[in-house]
Amino acid sequence: QQPVQSPQAVILREGEDAVINCSSSKALYSVHWYRQKHGEAPVFLMILLKGGEQKGHDKISASFNEKKQQSSLYLTASQLSYSGTYFCGTEDSGTYKYIFGTGTRLKVLA
Amino acid sequence: GAGVSQSPSNKVTEKGKDVELRCDPISGHTALYWYRQRLGQGLEFLIYFQGNSAPDKSGLPSDRFSAERTGESVSTLTIQRTQQEDSAVYLCASSVNKEKLFFGSGTQLSVL
């Protein structure tokens, strides 16, 4: 069962903030975040390895709540370059699969 | 190589024909993954290789799909008797320790 992301899609103006959530029905041991621009391959953003961990890169940060089996990606002061589809990813516990969430389409307008 | 390389980048085939998709991972990356992405959809896990071994083939959609990896490098995904529902982008990714996946640009497969 793949993680469920919310919202499915969001439209922002430049400079606005957004939060993307990733929720799993199974235990999460680590969470990765990727961004895929239209027509391109997904690109790694960051990894969170343990509950309570928070990370940031530029104006994009993420948190991981292991108990709630959730992770959130925070985009602050969004830029046009943030447009794309964001996926959370994780190892499917008990299997060898590396699976991705349902995806969130983000569009930043000027 | 500098990144994950996939070939061909585009493949148009007729229904019923067989196709082979190739993935050349980053040198030294022991883990290799194949995914299918239908238009506007998410990433569907197909198969994972650790070295030359594929411990989990359960993601392959049907017995028309097979994959192999030789020499801990190149991998080939073969689709036999292609169907129109096989049309998608097939993405390959490689990793050293599963903590960061590097993706290739994908093969756009169109089955007419």
Side-chain angles (χ1 to χ4, degrees), chain A residues 32 34 36 41 97-98 105, chain B residues 35 37 40 45 58 98 101 104:
Chain A
H32 309 186
Y34 291 79
Q36 184 178 30
K97 298 178 183 178
Y98 185 90
R105 288 189 191 131
Chain B
Y35 293 89
Q37 188 172 34
F45 172 89
S58 63
K98 299 186 187 180
L101 270 61

Side-chain angles (χ1 to χ4, degrees), chain B residues 61-92:
Chain B
S62 74
D63 58 9
R64 295 187 296 104
F65 286 72
S66 63
E68 64 176 24
R69 187 179 184 194
T70 54
E72 289 202 354
S73 59
V74 173
S75 176
T76 303
L77 178 69
T78 301
I79 309 173
Q80 295 178 309
R81 304 181 303 280
T82 52
Q83 303 293 313
Q84 287 183 332
E85 68 255 25
D86 298 335
S87 296
V89 175
Y90 289 82
L91 288 161
C92 172

Side-chain angles (χ1 to χ4, degrees), chain B:
Chain B
V4 178
S5 177
Q6 289 188 247
S7 60
S9 54
N10 277 285
K11 176 73 177 178
V12 180
T13 190
E14 291 179 353
K15 180 181 168 182
K17 295 272 175 82
D18 298 352
V19 295
E20 268 191 8
L21 312 181
R22 177 188 166 109
C23 173
D24 221 319
I26 294 171
S27 178
H29 281 198
T30 55
L32 187 146
Y33 305 80
W34 283 98
Y35 293 89
R36 178 169 70 180
Q37 188 172 34
R38 292 196 165 108
L39 187 64
Q41 303 298 309
L43 298 152
E44 179 188 358
F45 172 89
L46 296 179
I47 192 169
Y48 156 69
F49 285 94
Q50 180 57 42
N52 297 337
S53 169
D56 191 333
K57 300 181 181 179
S58 63
L60 294 175
S62 74
D63 58 9
R64 295 187 296 104
F65 286 72
S66 63
E68 64 176 24
R69 187 179 184 194
T70 54
E72 289 202 354
S73 59
V74 173
S75 176
T76 303
L77 178 69
T78 301
I79 309 173
Q80 295 178 309
R81 304 181 303 280
T82 52
Q83 303 293 313
Q84 287 183 332
E85 68 255 25
D86 298 335
S87 296
V89 175
Y90 289 82
L91 288 161
C92 172
S94 71
S95 172
V96 172
N97 54 11
K98 299 186 187 180
E99 288 193 354
K100 180 175 179 180
L101 270 61
F102 294 82
F103 283 85
S105 299
T107 293
Q108 171 75 62
L109 176 66
S110 299
V111 182
L112 304 179

Side-chain angles (χ1 to χ4, degrees), chain A residues 2-50:
Chain A
Q2 66 183 148
V4 176
Q5 291 182 229
S6 62
Q8 287 186 329
V10 58
I11 299 175
L12 301 172
R13 292 279 177 194
E14 255 186 310
E16 290 182 339
D17 301 341
V19 180
I20 298 171
N21 299 302
C22 171
S23 184
S24 173
S25 59
K26 297 168 82 170
L28 282 175
Y29 299 107
S30 67
V31 178
H32 309 186
W33 284 96
Y34 291 79
R35 176 171 61 210
Q36 184 178 30
K37 291 184 180 278
H38 184 68
E40 299 180 12
V43 173
F44 174 85
L45 293 176
M46 66 185 78
I47 178 174
L48 298 105
L49 290 172
K50 55 186 179 183

